[in-house]
Amino acid sequence: MQKRILNNGIEIPSIMLGTSICDRQSLSRFGNHVSDKLLFKQMTDGLIYAVRNGVTGIDTGRDYNNEPILGKIFNDLFKNHIVKREELFITTKVGNGQQRFCDMEKELDISLKSLKLDYLDLWMLHWPLPDFYIDNWKQFCKIYKSGKVKAIGIANVRERHLLELEQADVEVMPQIIQVECHPFRTVEGLRKLCNEKNIQLEAYTANCAMLPFVRENVVLSELAKKYRKSLTQIIMRWHLQQGVIPIFSSNNPNHISENIDVFDFELTEDDMKRIFDLNIDYKYHPESVNCPGY
């Protein structure tokens, strides 16, 4: 797996495996009542396959409700010498509910205990929660300087949030931001600002959940035929070529292989532009639902 370098010199995999699909509460809401035992097996099998095929970046969050399960899996992976701790890049996030307690040191300790880890590679605020995120970010900066986490970031930001952090004269700006980004939401202004500030951009919902209008898109279909790749692979390659780190979520070996088999071809500049031109600022995860007052 290729790597990228953050502005603090830390290496990060160029593709990340997300675990939001393993959110027990979300699964229950959709009528999928998965036992802890079955979820543990599905996640274990998926992670072992991913790691053995070069995936070393794992993304989770407290609000995915799977940190304890991941902790057991990580412990087994390390104990059975499937992978070493230092070979993985592990991310988790502080949710809005935890942000309201305003004790980031405590929240970090809870996550580390659940994940059975001594440190995090990346620690994030899950949302820029109004009235809380700037003060909590200042706590993040102090904890980062203590060495408990290798990098810090914020998910779901817009340009104004980064500018507000600058105006608040914080000690450390985010090394990474993570936002919904795909061909139908290209966040061009945010990408430009990240380039100016040397902030790495990560893309969740990187393939727009392969909704019907994505699968049926003429441009993407033409490019898939041209390069003899799947639509997913075209989108993943588009992310990589613009310097964005895409996050995909799957426990399925075939899907995992598909998402990382994107290093043997390159899109032309014209084809990159054709994909950028698909932008309609479509949002799969509306802020009004996930972060009231955003």
Side-chain angles (χ1 to χ4, degrees):
M1 180 69 66
Q2 294 178 359
K3 301 287 183 69
R4 294 189 61 80
I5 307 295
L6 301 179
N7 61 25
N8 62 353
I10 298 296
E11 287 190 339
I12 180 173
S14 58
I15 296 176
M16 300 284 288
L17 176 65
T19 63
S20 60
I21 59 167
C22 303
D23 178 343
R24 285 177 293 178
Q25 290 185 7
S26 291
L27 288 169
S28 297
R29 284 199 297 270
F30 288 104
N32 300 316
H33 300 287
V34 180
S35 67
D36 281 358
K37 184 177 180 180
L38 178 57
L39 188 57
F40 178 77
K41 184 179 187 311
Q42 290 175 344
M43 292 178 69
T44 300
D45 291 346
L47 273 173
I48 289 176
Y49 181 86
V51 166
R52 285 179 170 165
N53 285 273
V55 178
T56 56
I58 312 297
D59 178 272
T60 190
R62 182 79 65 76
D63 285 354
Y64 299 163
N65 303 293
N66 60 23
E67 283 184 342
I69 293 178
L70 280 169
K72 293 177 183 177
I73 296 173
F74 290 148
N75 187 60
D76 288 348
L77 292 178
F78 304 149
K79 183 175 64 177
N80 294 318
H81 306 291
I82 294 172
V83 68
K84 297 178 182 178
R85 168 64 187 98
E86 59 268 23
E87 293 174 334
L88 293 183
F89 189 99
I90 299 172
T91 302
T92 195
K93 311 177 191 77
V94 178
N96 291 345
Q98 302 99 53
Q99 278 201 66
R100 292 179 186 278
F101 292 118
C102 303
D103 190 343
M104 297 300 97
E105 185 87 43
K106 180 180 178 181
E107 298 307 328
L108 175 61
D109 289 341
I110 290 171
S111 284
L112 288 174
K113 183 177 180 180
S114 295
L115 291 165
K116 300 185 185 299
L117 300 174
D118 296 323
Y119 67 92
L120 289 173
D121 298 281
L122 173 60
W123 191 37
M124 308 189 86
L125 293 177
H126 210 144
W127 288 85
L129 184 65
D131 301 325
F132 291 91
Y133 85 94
I134 290 179
D135 287 340
N136 285 336
W137 182 258
K138 290 179 179 179
Q139 293 184 52
F140 261 50
C141 293
K142 291 180 180 178
I143 294 168
Y144 165 69
K145 287 194 159 188
S146 75
K148 276 191 174 183
V149 295
K150 291 188 175 182
I152 50 177
I154 309 181
N156 299 295
V157 297
R158 292 189 185 271
E159 295 99 306
R160 61 184 169 87
H161 298 113
L162 294 177
L163 296 175
E164 286 170 3
L165 285 178
E166 278 193 328
Q167 292 165 5
D169 198 27
V170 297
E171 291 186 82
V172 182
M173 287 294 286
Q175 280 101 19
I176 293 181
I177 65 167
Q178 184 184 122
V179 299
E180 179 178 335
C181 177
H182 44 71
F184 301 92
R185 185 176 192 260
T186 58
V187 294
E188 293 186 36
L190 190 56
R191 283 190 297 104
K192 181 180 179 181
L193 184 60
C194 285
N195 288 334
E196 292 173 357
K197 305 295 183 184
N198 196 18
I199 298 172
Q200 176 63 57
L201 178 63
E202 288 184 334
Y204 74 80
T205 316
N207 60 9
C208 199
M210 290 307 290
L211 295 171
F213 77 85
V214 180
R215 297 195 304 269
E216 297 164 6
N217 182 266
V218 174
V219 171
L220 295 176
S221 297
E222 287 179 358
L223 294 177
K225 185 176 180 180
K226 173 181 177 179
Y227 291 96
R228 297 183 180 180
K229 292 288 185 178
S230 69
L231 266 66
T232 292
Q233 290 169 325
I234 294 297
I235 294 172
M236 293 293 280
R237 185 68 206 180
W238 172 76
H239 283 296
L240 292 174
Q241 284 186 215
Q242 55 178 300
V244 172
I245 296 174
I247 301 170
F248 75 95
S249 299
S250 181
N251 291 322
N252 183 303
N254 291 331
H255 292 165
I256 293 171
S257 295
E258 178 186 18
N259 276 276
I260 62 176
D261 183 21
V262 291
F263 296 101
D264 60 347
F265 75 107
E266 187 170 329
L267 299 169
T268 66
E269 288 187 18
D270 285 344
D271 289 338
M272 288 287 290
K273 184 179 183 304
R274 291 182 72 193
I275 297 174
F276 272 110
D277 288 344
L278 296 175
N279 179 47
I280 53 173
D281 200 25
Y282 175 82
K283 197 80 166 64
Y284 184 74
H285 298 277
E287 291 94 345
S288 58
V289 173
N290 294 284
C291 189
Y294 178 86

